[in-house]
Amino acid sequence: DGEQGWELEGYDNSLIDQASLAQLVNYVSAVTSYGEYAFDGSADYGLAAPLLTATVEGSTEEQKYQIFFGKNTADDAYTYVQISTAPDTVYLVQKGIISGLSVAPLDLAISTLIPAVEKDSSNGAYFDSTGTLTTFDSLTLSGKGFKKPLVFKPNTDKLINEYATYICTSPLLRMANGVDEIKAIFANGLAASSVVCFDQSAASLKTFGLDNPTWTVTMKVDGKNYTYKISPTDDTMVDFYVASSTDRMIRVVPVSNLPFITKTEHEFYYGFMV
């Protein structure tokens, strides 16, 4: 009747990568044996205390069984496996299967992209014909790296807007530099490398240092604020925890996707005066 859908029990499945979840099911449903032995009860197989147990429950009693994954073979090419419906037999399966099954719920989360600002019935004037955000009311950078928040706005002065699309209005009036790369994360979304939390509760934000973020990036579109809260994962400043108002999860984003994050205030000003 069509392709079987799968859910991760206890989780909001709109946050789960369906392809990864389906692959997890395939690992169990399509185990291929590369050899078998009569089980003599030996501890060499590691089946008395399996490294991993997969429990399968079908609609009938015949479709309910367990797969026990034991030790790897001496040549490290296969893993010993036993099935509850055939307790007298030990099978050899590819050892990669156990790593494919050894996942935590966060490993199955959709982690590829923090969503962009979406077009709706009232903010259409801020988007182009393809539905991509092209302008905004204001863009504010604040946090521990700035003495005062930096506020940018589109440059409406026709005499000079060909030189600078945006201006900084606070703390100094300057023509702005590097605003487009910040606007891009709101317009196109922000690529992430992993998910660390399924929610943005107050407790979760505190856990990842986002209750008092190092940087806050806020864009106002049609009078509505969209915000990124950003803090480094450690002192290396290579990866950053990010919570976005366009998202429901907390993710990790590499510094290469946040090129503006290491800039100082004066690097956001063009190097000439008007």
Side-chain angles (χ1 to χ4, degrees):
D1 295 331
E3 186 176 347
Q4 172 70 55
W6 300 98
E7 295 183 354
L8 186 62
E9 189 173 70
Y11 291 86
D12 183 342
N13 280 274
S14 67
L15 306 179
I16 300 299
D17 180 21
Q18 295 302 311
S20 296
L21 189 57
Q23 182 61 56
L24 193 67
V25 175
N26 288 338
Y27 280 136
V28 176
S29 62
V31 176
T32 300
S33 173
Y34 290 88
E36 60 185 71
Y37 304 94
F39 182 50
D40 58 6
S42 171
D44 293 340
Y45 299 121
L47 294 167
L51 295 176
L52 185 143
T53 299
T55 301
V56 180
E57 296 184 5
S59 57
T60 66
E61 284 300 318
E62 290 77 13
Q63 294 173 322
K64 295 181 180 180
Y65 57 92
Q66 289 182 304
I67 305 175
F68 307 103
F69 293 83
K71 295 180 179 179
N72 291 341
T73 56
D75 61 2
D76 206 35
Y78 301 99
T79 298
Y80 295 117
V81 164
Q82 188 178 50
I83 302 176
S84 60
T85 54
D88 297 327
T89 305
V90 175
Y91 299 94
L92 295 178
V93 302
Q94 287 184 331
K95 71 170 188 175
I97 291 179
I98 194 169
S99 61
L101 290 171
S102 301
V103 297
L106 283 170
D107 296 325
L108 300 172
I110 298 172
S111 61
T112 54
L113 192 71
I114 297 175
V117 175
E118 294 185 352
K119 182 179 179 180
D120 59 33
S121 58
S122 64
N123 64 12
Y126 294 79
F127 294 77
D128 63 17
S129 59
T130 67
T132 301
L133 183 73
T134 57
T135 189
F136 52 83
D137 299 327
S138 65
L139 177 64
T140 303
L141 298 181
S142 61
K144 299 174 183 177
F146 305 107
K147 293 181 179 179
K148 295 181 179 180
L150 274 72
V151 180
F152 306 99
K153 293 184 177 181
N155 187 1
T156 58
D157 188 332
K158 295 182 179 179
L159 292 176
I160 60 172
N161 62 11
E162 65 177 293
Y163 302 105
T165 308
Y166 306 99
I167 58 172
C168 182
T169 60
S170 179
L172 299 173
L173 182 60
R174 294 286 188 272
M175 288 200 286
N177 182 38
V179 175
D180 277 327
E181 63 187 13
I182 305 175
K183 184 187 73 174
I185 70 173
F186 293 91
N188 305 317
L190 180 60
S193 58
S194 62
V195 174
V196 292
C197 190
F198 280 111
D199 67 79
Q200 294 186 18
S201 66
S204 296
L205 291 174
K206 185 175 182 179
T207 297
F208 297 102
L210 295 169
D211 57 328
N212 182 25
T214 307
W215 295 272
T216 300
V217 186
T218 303
M219 177 178 282
K220 181 178 288 187
V221 177
D222 193 32
K224 181 179 179 180
N225 285 331
Y226 300 88
T227 303
Y228 280 86
K229 297 177 181 179
I230 306 170
S231 288
T233 60
D234 54 40
D235 292 339
T236 64
M237 306 289 278
V238 172
D239 292 299
F240 295 82
Y241 296 123
V242 177
S244 169
S245 60
T246 63
D247 196 11
R248 294 166 59 187
M249 298 187 281
I250 298 174
R251 308 178 195 246
V252 172
V253 176
V255 68
S256 58
N257 294 345
L258 296 166
F260 60 89
I261 210 70
T262 57
K263 288 185 177 181
T264 63
E265 174 185 332
H266 290 279
E267 289 178 283
F268 288 101
Y269 304 144
Y270 269 130
F272 58 87
M273 302 289 289
V274 176

